[in-house]
């Protein structure tokens, strides 16, 4: 598999100042304003993981997927072109904008832009998070996972698997698929829906205490959307909170790894959570 991890996410919002406050005060992510007015949020040594820009709509603009080298990017471009996929090589200016050494991009059947890149800028001096946190689980696992709602589920799933090379970890009742490209149980998931778009991005912490302290920060601001729970497939203990853009962050710990060489796809029959993850509406918790 040439795609190694989820490197970054590009977001559009009308709420840039709110995102800076949310990133720092809730997620503990230091922000940097680029010269063109966009907000870059850091999680680790990478120059950024979230690239947030002003736009007329709230949502996901692109996902950045890391490959190992220029040779791997060229080989992936060749494979995609041979499969009849339109791939555009990024200009030097576009690479500088994304802070990568090289990049190409394509659009999947649902209309989402995927950027294939290598050599993302990194600063290995100690990173000071803006809240007392142990840090985030990234490295070979990438920044986390993204869950995307799509109308053309079967077509998009086939594209991600057969063309981009993701492997299916689990499926759920024929309308959700969880896909991996490294030991993280899933780096992207698809949900069939009549309301397409970004559902959530998951961030994984180093300790359970990090989850607890962030739950308190979100609870104080009344932005918790689903209570603490443990998922049945990836075993992550997590809760959900609302971002300034309206979609959710899943904030969790202890997600399982998969054996990328020997994993067998599973079909889930039970609920997606072993316990918890009850929906919160205003001051009420819904248990169904």
């Amino acid at each position: 598999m040439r795609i190694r991890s989820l490197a970054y996410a590009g977001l559009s919002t009308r709420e840039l100042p709110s995102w800076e406050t949310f990133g720092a005060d809730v997620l503990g992510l230091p922000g940097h304003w680029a010269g063109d007015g966009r907000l870059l949020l850091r999680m680790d040594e990478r120059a950024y993981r979230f690239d947030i820009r002003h736009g007329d709509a709230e949502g996901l603009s692109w996902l950045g997927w890391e490959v190992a080298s220029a040779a791997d990017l060229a080989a992936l471009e060749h494979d995609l072109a041979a499969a009849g996929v339109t791939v555009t090589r990024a200009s030097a200016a576009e690479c500088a904008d994304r802070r990568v050494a090289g990049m190409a991009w394509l659009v999947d059947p649902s209309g989402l832009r995927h950027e294939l890149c290598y050599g993302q800028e990194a600063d290995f001096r100690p990173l000071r998070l803006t809240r007392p946190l142990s840090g985030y689980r990234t490295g070979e696992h990438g920044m986390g996972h993204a869950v995307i709602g799509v109308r053309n589920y079967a077509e998009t799933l086939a594209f991600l698997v057969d063309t981009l090379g993701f492997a299916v970890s689990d499926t759920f009742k024929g309308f959700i698929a969880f896909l991996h490209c490294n030991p993280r149980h899933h780096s992207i998931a698809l949900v069939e829906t009549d309301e397409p778009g970004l559902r959530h991005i998951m961030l994984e912490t180093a300790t359970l205490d990090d989850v607890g302290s962030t739950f308190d920060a979100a609870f104080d601001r009344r932005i918790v959307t689903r209570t603490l729970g443990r998922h049945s497939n990836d075993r992550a203990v997590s809760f959900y909170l609302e971002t300034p853009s309206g979609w959710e962050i899943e904030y969790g710990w202890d997600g399982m790894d998969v054996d990328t060489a020997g994993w067998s796809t599973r079909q889930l029959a039970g609920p997606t959570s072993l316990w918890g993850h009850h929906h919160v509406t205003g001051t009420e918790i819904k248990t169904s």
Side-chain angles (χ1 to χ4, degrees), residues 77-156:
E77 284 182 276
H78 177 271
D79 292 345
L80 291 167
V85 178
T86 300
V87 185
T88 302
R89 171 63 75 147
S91 67
E94 288 173 316
C95 290
D97 179 86
R98 299 298 197 269
R99 303 191 179 192
V100 296
M103 184 184 85
W105 60 270
L106 54 93
V107 176
D108 73 18
S110 72
L112 177 61
R113 173 172 166 136
H114 297 268
E115 300 185 348
L116 314 172
C117 67
Y118 74 94
Q120 187 181 15
E121 284 185 10
D123 183 346
F124 291 93
R125 292 173 293 185
L127 173 67
R128 293 186 178 182
L129 298 174
T130 55
R131 284 185 46 244
L133 295 169
S134 302
Y136 288 93
R137 186 187 192 216
T138 55
E140 69 169 339
H141 294 82
M143 69 174 284
H145 73 238
V147 176
I148 315 295
V150 297
R151 288 193 177 94
N152 52 347
Y153 171 84
E155 184 182 5
T156 305

Side-chain angles (χ1 to χ4, degrees), residues 206-229:
T207 70
L208 180 59
D209 286 340
D210 290 339
V211 175
S213 69
T214 303
F215 180 91
D216 283 349
F219 184 83
D220 288 344
R221 291 162 177 80
R222 298 179 179 271
I223 56 173
V224 174
T225 56
R226 279 184 271 180
T227 62
L228 198 67

Side-chain angles (χ1 to χ4, degrees), residues 139-193:
E140 69 169 339
H141 294 82
M143 69 174 284
H145 73 238
V147 176
I148 315 295
V150 297
R151 288 193 177 94
N152 52 347
Y153 171 84
E155 184 182 5
T156 305
L157 176 58
F159 180 86
L160 292 178
V161 174
D162 299 335
T163 304
L164 288 186
F166 287 90
V168 179
S169 300
D170 303 319
T171 61
F172 180 70
K173 296 185 177 179
F175 72 94
I176 305 177
F178 303 87
L179 313 176
H180 66 264
C181 60
N182 60 46
R184 188 182 291 280
H185 177 273
H186 55 287
S187 293
I188 188 169
L190 297 179
V191 180
E192 186 173 29
T193 178

